[in-house]
Amino acid sequence: MFTQLRHPPLVFGLGTAGLVALLATSMLTGAGRISPEQVVDYLLGATGDAHLEMVVTTLRLPRTLAAIVVGAALGVSGMLLQAVTRNPLAETGLLGVNSGAALGVVLGIVWTGAQTGGAYLAWALGGALLTTGVVLLIGSRFSSLKLILAGAALSATLTGITSALLVADPGTFDQYRFWVLGSLAGIPMDRVLAVAPAILAGLVMAALAARPLAALSLGDDVAVALGHRPGRTRVAVTVAVTLLSAAAVAVAGPIGFLGLLAGHLAKTVPGDRVGPRIVLSGLAGAIVLLGADVLARVVMRPYEAPVSLLIAIVGGPVLIAVARSRAVAAGAGDLFAEKTRRGRGSRALLARDRFRPRPSDTFPVRLGACSALVPVRSSLAAAALAALACAAGLAAILAGQSAMTAGQALEALRGIGTGGQIMLVQEIRLPRVVAGLAAGAALGLSGCLTQALARNRLATPDMLGVNQGAVIAIMSAGLLSSTATLFEHWWTGPLGALVAAVAVFAISGGTGTQGYRFIVTGLAVTTLAGAVTQSALAWNGLSAATAIHSWSVGSLAGRGYPVALPVAVGLAVLLPAALAVSRRLAVLRFSEDVGVGLGTNPRTTRSAVLALAVVLAGLAIGIGGPIAFVALAAPVLAARLSGSARLPLVGAPLTGAALVVAADTVGRVIASGGEIPAGVVTSILGGPFLLWTLLSDRRS
């Protein structure tokens, strides 16, 4: 990624000089109208203005020191994770460590009213320690690219729990929406001093772990032969990463990509000397964060840009570049890549399969001169899933927190009962259920198409950045409008999803050819779009931000027939189209030559399938927002029932409909006096499902 420099002392010298220059720039620069000359006069004692004293001593000095301390902590923690997992993509933000620390802080705010830096640190330590332990536990089980996806699963679950707490407590959300941006503005000096001992302890432990990490990079057996204990080394690194990341999150909030950037900048030092790289990673982290903070003050004067957004703009492309590098590809362990290498003999495989006897899974149906072969297992699975979706819809209509019983709700559905009961069932619950069924079916079908398109079970709209593209488009249209609600701009969803899909596919080099690198590219786009969404939450008033947040995590509250109708019409048109291209889509499992030999145009087929999947995802998000993991789980579960011989183009939408309605029902009844959005429920449950999918891919 980065060119190695032959003179390490020159690197350290230049880095130190750059940090000093940025320190001076940070003290002299701000979003206000105070000139650098006035600041210099104050520092030299030429003036004693009280306003200058407040700006320089109370505001700029603490945030400058905080940027240096937090940047160094995140840089070193990223370098330690990359070394101990032997994964160039490892970073506290991407692996969910920051999300664990953030959840700890939110729990502290909700349960104990934590406000001080010491309280933030204590709660962040607990969340970061638990998450770091899980990351290192699963680190040896996954390849470089899969570990990032495992981190995304862990982060999704932790973020889902955080969102559930925030939805139930508007006061905590108001405090959280600014803190989560990673802003350094307004940080008091006592908070920096409170976390200084933890950061110092983490840096000392990192220095002591330098030699054992260097030995560990050669393998556990070699490390033991050299007199080191790999288990003890991993425990020490766990404690160091926990201290550093928790302290950084307690001061400035969860800032992603910084450890990734610092760790790769540290690789400019030649050789495998871990000690110099640890020092350089801390220096690089401080430089990057302080530079981003200075830029944040001047790029939108008199306002400030979010620091995390600026770092994500740089870190996203770096993540994509590293994921595409030879070092990552060499150790990817990508099942798809292995299949591709073996797929050079696809013609022989296809010819051999023609003469292999298989049990019949179809029975003929004749109607006059017309006949068709109906798949037995797929038909039975579709019937069972249709019954399940109907049962989920009926349960959603009958369940709720009102005093009305299930029997009364069933009578109200038939138009029998009081006016209030009939209105609740027929005008509130029933339209919401119909909207959930339509959104879930669209997400399930969209996920089935993208998985088949990329030949990877993890290639779903929410993992490829498609959902976030639709979110930004709808959110932007809603914010620019003064009267309409967000879901009334459903028509912008497919447009935003299409733009995101084109960007991801163009960057990754096409569909079906990049394996897990293709998904990591989408993950980078998703993370960057998420930073944009969080910035929009902070830039709006509390009432608008609360509404946007509830929708941006996936919610069916207030949905009805008007928003469900476009998705229903889209399904009525696009599902037959998907069935029409299903046979051509099945041919894409083989190589390009085999597809052409069988009379299909792979490029045209991929374009048509991509268009279908993007439109479906955009329409679904227009109804309920980005309800996570439904597009991943629905095709996988449907395929388990219907078998892997055929794409579950009917079973997947039925499964998705059942999942969304069930998640919405759970969110409505589980919290007394409140409601948890359906997307939060699916995020909490979807993270473990994604981990299971990764493990099952590994076993296969």
Side-chain angles (χ1 to χ4, degrees):
M1 175 67 188
F2 296 101
T3 303
Q4 288 188 341
L5 302 180
R6 297 182 179 180
H7 305 287
L10 178 61
V11 177
F12 289 110
L14 292 175
T16 304
L19 181 60
V20 171
L22 283 173
L23 190 152
T25 305
S26 177
M27 293 298 296
L28 298 175
T29 306
R33 298 182 179 180
I34 297 177
S35 65
E37 292 79 7
Q38 291 175 290
V39 177
V40 172
D41 291 339
Y42 170 77
L43 294 175
L44 296 177
T47 179
D49 186 87
H51 180 64
L52 277 174
E53 180 181 2
M54 182 195 69
V55 170
V56 176
T57 307
T58 307
L59 298 179
R60 293 186 184 177
L61 179 60
R63 76 182 297 169
T64 300
L65 295 178
I68 295 174
V69 170
V70 171
L74 291 177
V76 172
S77 63
M79 177 63 202
L80 291 176
L81 277 178
Q82 291 175 17
V84 76
T85 61
R86 305 173 199 170
N87 187 345
L89 294 173
E91 190 260 342
T92 55
L94 295 174
L95 295 184
V97 178
N98 287 358
S99 297
L103 175 59
V105 172
V106 172
L107 288 173
I109 296 174
V110 173
W111 288 350
T112 66
Q115 296 292 332
T116 64
Y120 276 14
L121 176 61
W123 285 95
L125 278 173
L129 178 61
L130 178 61
T131 311
T132 306
V134 173
V135 167
L136 295 183
L137 179 64
I138 67 177
S140 59
R141 299 174 179 266
F142 296 118
S143 65
S144 298
L145 297 175
K146 277 190 170 184
L147 181 59
I148 299 303
L149 300 177
L154 188 61
S155 180
T157 297
L158 297 173
T159 303
I161 298 173
T162 302
S163 298
L165 295 172
L166 295 176
V167 170
D169 191 342
T172 302
F173 170 70
D174 191 27
Q175 183 176 350
Y176 173 85
R177 66 192 179 106
F178 296 101
W179 174 79
V180 75
L181 291 176
S183 175
L184 296 169
I187 293 178
M189 182 63 75
D190 61 350
R191 184 177 297 181
V192 180
L193 297 177
V195 302
I199 292 180
L200 181 61
L203 294 176
V204 170
M205 295 187 68
L208 295 176
R211 293 188 64 184
L213 277 176
L216 193 64
S217 65
L218 303 175
D220 287 7
D221 295 337
V222 176
V224 171
L226 294 175
H228 299 285
R229 298 182 180 180
R232 182 177 296 180
T233 301
R234 291 188 175 94
V235 171
V237 169
T238 300
V239 176
V241 170
T242 299
L243 289 171
L244 294 171
S245 59
V249 171
V251 172
I255 300 177
F257 289 117
L258 189 56
L260 177 71
L261 291 171
H264 284 277
L265 287 172
K267 291 185 178 180
T268 55
V269 177
D272 296 324
R273 292 176 293 177
V274 178
R277 287 188 175 180
I278 290 177
V279 176
L280 186 56
S281 64
L283 184 61
I287 291 174
V288 171
L289 185 56
L290 185 56
D293 184 52
V294 171
L295 183 62
R297 301 181 224 172
V298 300
V299 72
M300 294 179 59
R301 279 184 173 177
Y303 306 102
E304 289 195 14
V307 173
S308 60
L309 177 59
L310 296 179
I311 294 179
I313 291 174
V314 179
V318 171
L319 173 61
I320 295 171
V322 175
R324 292 170 60 90
S325 65
R326 294 181 179 179
V328 174
D334 193 339
L335 177 64
F336 167 77
E338 180 66 21
K339 288 181 177 180
T340 301
R341 288 191 294 271
R342 296 176 182 176
R344 294 174 181 174
S346 297
R347 290 181 181 274
L349 177 65
L350 182 61
R352 186 168 64 251
D353 283 351
R354 287 177 180 173
F355 303 101
R356 180 180 299 173
R358 296 181 182 274
S360 176
D361 184 43
T362 61
F363 70 92
V365 175
R366 294 182 177 85
L367 183 61
C370 301
S371 63
L373 290 176
V374 178
V376 178
R377 182 174 176 178
S378 298
S379 300
L380 293 177
L385 291 172
L388 179 63
C390 293
L394 181 60
I397 294 174
L398 302 181
Q401 296 190 27
S402 67
M404 182 172 52
T405 65
Q408 291 174 330
L410 189 60
E411 292 294 323
L413 182 62
R414 299 165 52 197
I416 303 174
T418 65
Q421 292 174 342
I422 296 175
M423 183 185 70
L424 177 61
V425 171
Q426 295 190 1
E427 298 184 21
I428 296 179
R429 290 184 184 176
L430 182 59
R432 180 169 177 164
V433 168
V434 172
L437 291 172
L443 287 174
L445 181 57
S446 177
C448 181
L449 293 175
T450 53
Q451 287 177 359
L453 183 66
R455 287 175 283 184
N456 194 315
R457 290 195 295 179
L458 301 179
T460 58
D462 39 4
M463 297 293 289
L464 298 178
V466 173
N467 284 3
Q468 283 296 331
V471 167
I472 291 179
I474 296 173
M475 183 179 64
S476 301
L479 293 177
L480 294 176
S481 174
S482 59
T483 57
T485 55
L486 285 175
F487 50 82
E488 290 179 352
H489 297 279
W490 59 268
W491 54 272
T492 61
L495 299 178
L498 180 62
V499 172
V502 170
V504 171
F505 297 156
I507 294 171
S508 60
T511 61
T513 58
Q514 299 299 322
Y516 289 107
R517 285 182 292 170
F518 175 70
I519 302 172
V520 172
T521 301
L523 180 62
V525 174
T526 298
T527 306
L528 179 58
V532 175
T533 303
Q534 292 293 344
S535 301
L537 295 179
W539 288 337
N540 283 274
L542 178 58
S543 59
T546 302
I548 294 174
H549 178 260
S550 177
W551 173 83
S552 67
V553 297
S555 174
L556 295 177
R559 306 317 190 261
Y561 298 125
V563 293
L565 181 61
V567 182
V569 173
L571 281 171
V573 174
L574 299 179
L575 179 57
L579 293 173
V581 300
S582 61
R583 295 189 63 182
R584 295 185 178 183
L585 186 60
V587 175
L588 295 182
R589 292 180 294 178
F590 303 101
S591 66
E592 296 275 344
D593 295 339
V594 172
V596 173
L598 293 176
T600 64
N601 187 331
R603 180 173 299 180
T604 302
T605 302
R606 289 194 181 103
S607 300
V609 172
L610 175 61
L612 291 172
V614 166
V615 172
L616 285 166
L619 289 174
I621 292 168
I623 286 183
I627 302 177
F629 293 114
V630 173
L632 167 68
V636 174
L637 295 176
R640 289 275 179 174
L641 291 177
S642 61
S644 59
R646 295 175 178 84
L647 292 174
L649 293 177
V650 176
L654 292 172
T655 307
L659 289 176
V660 170
V661 173
D664 183 56
T665 304
V666 171
R668 285 195 292 113
V669 302
I670 195 172
S672 178
E675 179 177 321
I676 298 177
V680 173
V681 177
T682 58
S683 293
I684 296 174
L685 301 178
F689 184 86
L690 176 55
L691 287 175
W692 172 80
T693 304
L694 288 167
L695 288 171
S696 62
D697 274 352
R698 179 175 177 267
R699 287 194 299 267
S700 64

